[in-house]
Amino acid sequence: MLDVQGVFKRYATPQGPLAVLQGVDLHLGQGSSLALMGESGSGKSTLLHLIAGLDRVDAGSIRIGRQHLQQMSEAQLANWRRTEVGLVFQQFNLISSLRVEDNLGFQARLAGRFDPLWQARLVERLGLGDLLRRYPEQLSGGQQQRVALGRALASKPRLLLADEPTGSLDEASSDEVLKLLLELLADSPTSLLMVTHSQRVASRLQQIVVLQHGRLADPVEA
Ligand SMILES: Nc1ncnc2c1ncn2[C@@H]1O[C@H](COP(=O)(O)OP(=O)(O)O)[C@@H](O)[C@H]1O
Ligand SMILES: [Mg+2]
C-alpha cells in the first residue's frame, strides 16, 4: 500500500547542507501498523512529512498504490493530504474556536467525505458523547487526543500518520488512547505509521523500525 524507496532528504542550514534521510526504504501493507523509532533529530518527522505530502523528497520515491507522490502537482498533493491521509500530532492541534463536534467533522467535511453515521460511531467508540459541546481548552490531554484521532479517522483515510501521539500524555492516558486507536483500526483498511519513543507503545504495533544514520534498520540491529 505504501512503498518508500531510496528516499533522500537534506535541509539547507547556516552550517551547510544537513543530510537527514540517506536512502530510506519502507513498506507498509494495507491495514497494517508500523512503529517508527529513533533518536531525537534522526529524521522521523521529516519522513512523516514527506509521506504526508507536506514536503518533497530530494531523491527516491514514495508510492501509494500506483500513485507516485513526486509526480503529483501541488494541487494533487493537497488532495492526497485531504482525502487519503489522517494526521495526529503530539500537540493535538485541535481548532480552539470550534466545539468538539465541529473539530471532529472538520477534515472529513473538507474532503467531502463527511459521514454522519461513521462520525457517530467514532464518537461512541472514542467515548466522546458527553464532550461534543465543549471547546478543546475544556478537555484533558487524553480527551483532546481522542478528539484528534476521531478527526483524523472521520474521513476514512488510507493511511494514518501519527507523530508521537502519546508523547505528551501520562502513561494511563497514553495506554487508553493507544488501545482505542488499535481497536478502531483493527477492523479497518487504514494503515498506521506511528512515531514513538516508547518501547512499550511500539511493541503493540505489528512492526518496529528504527531510523539511524539516515536509514531504517530493524530494532535488533539498531
Ligand atoms: N525545515 C528544516 N530546516 C532545517 N533543518 C531541519 C528542518 N526540519 C528539521 N530539520 C533538522 O533535521 C533533523 C531531523 O529532524 P526531525 O525530522 O524533526 O527529527 P525527529 O522527528 O526524528 O526528531 C534535525 O537535525 C532537525 O534540526
Ligand atoms: Mg519529530
Side-chain angles (χ1 to χ4, degrees):
M1 182 258 149
L2 170 68
D3 265 299
V4 175
Q5 271 178 15
V7 161
F8 284 75
K9 180 69 185 177
R10 61 170 57 182
Y11 293 114
T13 73
Q15 291 78 37
L18 175 69
V20 177
L21 304 180
Q22 305 182 71
V24 168
D25 298 309
L26 174 69
H27 176 79
L28 185 62
Q30 181 173 324
S32 61
S33 63
L34 180 130
L36 175 58
M37 303 190 75
E39 285 178 8
S40 183
S42 58
K44 305 180 297 296
S45 296
T46 297
L47 180 57
L48 244 64
H49 285 166
L50 294 172
I51 294 170
L54 291 164
D55 200 356
R56 289 189 183 264
V57 300
D58 293 331
S61 80
I62 298 177
R63 197 162 52 78
I64 317 285
R66 292 206 187 93
Q67 293 174 290
H68 287 266
L69 291 196
Q70 65 272 29
Q71 290 167 1
M72 291 186 191
S73 65
E74 290 304 319
Q76 286 171 322
L77 273 186
N79 190 52
W80 153 252
R81 279 197 298 274
R82 211 165 34 235
T83 57
E84 308 291 358
V85 184
L87 287 168
V88 182
F89 302 97
Q90 182 170 356
Q91 294 308 331
F92 323 130
N93 294 4
L94 298 175
I95 301 166
S96 58
S97 60
L98 294 183
R99 295 182 193 273
V100 165
E101 59 187 348
D102 297 319
N103 263 289
L104 280 172
F106 189 81
Q107 194 187 353
R109 285 182 204 277
L110 271 184
R113 291 208 186 165
F114 180 70
D115 173 348
L117 284 178
W118 173 234
Q119 179 152 324
R121 182 138 172 262
L122 284 171
V123 165
E124 189 204 320
R125 295 194 48 188
L126 290 167
L128 297 171
D130 294 334
L131 306 175
L132 291 176
R133 305 290 295 162
R134 293 205 202 171
Y135 289 95
E137 65 180 16
Q138 299 168 325
L139 304 176
S140 72
Q143 290 170 335
Q144 289 190 56
Q145 197 57 304
R146 282 190 270 141
V147 176
L149 274 183
R151 178 178 62 179
L153 292 173
S155 57
K156 300 179 187 163
R158 284 166 74 176
L159 182 60
L160 184 67
L161 299 173
D163 200 345
E164 303 188 44
T166 60
S168 61
L169 303 178
D170 60 44
E171 202 166 278
S173 309
S174 163
D175 284 350
E176 191 199 10
V177 164
L178 185 67
K179 177 169 165 279
L180 288 169
L181 171 60
L182 295 179
E183 281 171 10
L184 277 166
L185 291 186
D187 47 355
S188 112
T190 298
S191 309
L192 171 67
L193 178 48
M194 181 190 289
V195 173
T196 180
H197 282 293
S198 161
Q199 190 66 50
R200 216 165 44 89
V201 168
S203 68
R204 305 278 309 275
L205 305 195
Q206 291 165 346
Q207 220 188 318
I208 303 178
V209 291
V210 181
L211 190 52
Q212 211 179 26
H213 310 305
R215 289 166 179 258
L216 289 180
D218 290 332
V220 283
E221 299 167 17

